[in-house]
Amino acid sequence: MNNKEAANVLQMVRKASPLVHNITNVVVTNFTANGLLALGASPVMAYAQEEVADMAKIAGALVLNIGTLNQTEVEAMVIAGKAANEAGVPVIFDPVGAGATLYRTETARNIVRDVAVSAVRGNAAEIANVIGETWEIKGVDAGEGSGDVVALAKKAAKQLKTVVVITGKDDVATDGETTYIIHNGHPLLTKVTGTGCLLTSVIGAFAAVERDVLKAAAAALVSYGVAAEIAAEIAGEQGPGSFQIAFLDALSRVGAEEISQYGRIEQGE
Ligand SMILES: Nc1ncnc2c1ncn2[C@@H]1O[C@H](COP(=O)(O)OP(=O)(O)O)[C@@H](O)[C@H]1O
Ligand SMILES: Cc1ncsc1CCOP(=O)(O)O
Ligand SMILES: [Mg+2]
């Protein structure tokens, strides 16, 4: 995966405008829908157990996010996930807050047991907790110590038999064999709630058009990180509010030119 291939996948997203079915949290719902629209995808949020299977089957990707989970919604996620699996629709999972409470940790583990997920995206602590590892945040910035993050991502990918994406200062995407490290993004992303959750849904949009989920994830990460850098350039001085708006604008504008100029994808060990 290089910048050119990444830009091609982004172009495919804009052309196909895939339907991304999200079962996500109440904090990020509107931001996620607007972010997917800005990018060029078609978002839908549907949660009722009566309809989630039907929606998941017609979607290009299903995104499951346990940010504000409750038991009814978790059951809906499993119903949707199984329907997506039957229909060959990729399922992307965001284990928000795994490790923070026993309920979140157990639910995250149950979802990856009951649903065949194509990719899991979280920060290092969340991914560690899904696979039962302890994880110490080494500095103020959880992205510090990226060597350890790569090892954690590979271990998780092998254990879960899926693509694993760990985000932070640098982002790692791996299937356990091939690894990409993406050196894009901006610290202001950590000052806007839902930027991790939206990224998980953006990976869904990319996985809807690129069957190689590892390539889809790497392409999504570089597009997203470059968009953040453009937004910071335009509105970073103003603060997180202006940055959030500029970021939505940048998601709609980022393309081959910006990715070739700013994209920093490294093939890891
Ligand atoms: N220190 C940082 N510098 C640049 N980008 C960052 C930094 N920390 C996180 N990001 C970016 O913010 C986005 C959300 O990632 P992250 O904060 O790890 O997710 P979450 O909110 O789920 O913990 C990703 O695109 C990631 O690359
Ligand atoms: C603040 C908050 N509380 C529960 S879910 C959520 C949003 C988390 O979003 P992200 O992980 O993308 O920062
Ligand atoms: Mg998160």
Side-chain angles (χ1 to χ4, degrees):
M1 171 61 49
N2 55 34
N3 286 338
K4 194 157 182 252
E5 288 174 285
N8 283 343
V9 186
L10 171 60
Q11 201 45 45
M12 280 155 63
V13 171
R14 297 227 169 95
K15 197 163 175 222
S17 198
L19 183 68
V20 180
H21 176 192
N22 304 272
I23 304 180
T24 190
N25 68 74
V26 298
V27 182
V28 306
T29 309
N30 179 270
F31 182 58
T32 301
N34 279 326
L36 286 170
L37 279 174
L39 186 77
S42 303
V44 65
M45 279 59 179
Y47 300 86
Q49 293 189 16
E50 291 83 353
E51 70 165 349
V52 286
D54 288 342
M55 190 64 83
K57 278 187 217 160
I58 60 164
L62 171 69
V63 177
L64 305 178
N65 176 311
I66 61 166
T68 50
L69 75 179
N70 60 63
Q71 208 48 32
T72 308
E73 195 174 290
V74 170
E75 282 165 22
M77 288 186 195
V78 174
I79 294 168
K82 287 184 172 167
N85 287 165
E86 269 177 35
V89 173
V91 181
I92 317 297
F93 177 48
D94 191 327
V96 183
T101 66
L102 186 61
Y103 180 47
R104 278 171 196 263
T105 309
E106 285 183 344
T107 299
R109 290 178 187 172
N110 290 343
I111 286 174
V112 294
R113 182 196 62 205
D114 295 342
V115 177
V117 301
S118 297
V120 181
R121 198 288 320 163
N123 58 45
E126 289 163 345
I127 299 299
N129 276 287
V130 174
I131 64 162
E133 290 280 310
T134 50
W135 184 260
E136 270 181 63
I137 295 177
K138 294 198 173 60
V140 182
D141 185 344
E144 279 180 33
S146 66
D148 292 345
V149 175
V150 171
L152 173 66
K154 284 166 97 167
K155 186 169 188 183
K158 284 184 181 146
Q159 197 166 314
L160 301 173
K161 297 185 173 58
T162 187
V163 168
V164 168
V165 176
I166 298 183
T167 54
K169 185 170 180 294
D170 299 318
D171 301 329
V172 179
T174 184
D175 59 6
E177 300 296 332
T178 305
T179 302
Y180 298 107
I181 304 162
I182 287 84
H183 304 275
N184 290 106
H186 193 277
L188 273 169
L189 283 170
T190 66
K191 300 294 174 199
V192 176
T193 192
T195 56
C197 300
L198 170 58
L199 172 58
T200 305
S201 291
V202 166
I203 293 171
F206 279 67
V209 301
E210 168 58 64
R211 290 195 74 83
D212 182 331
V213 180
L214 178 59
K215 284 190 171 176
L221 289 168
V222 72
S223 304
Y224 199 83
V226 169
E229 288 172 31
I230 294 168
E233 190 68 37
I234 290 168
E237 297 279 294
Q238 312 287 326
S242 301
F243 171 78
Q244 182 181 20
I245 301 301
F247 181 54
L248 289 176
D249 291 340
L251 282 172
S252 75
R253 281 213 320 273
V254 64
E257 208 174 298
E258 292 82 3
I259 291 172
S260 82
Q261 193 175 347
Y262 300 113
R264 289 197 287 153
I265 308 172
E266 176 197 344
Q267 173 119 26
E269 293 290 298

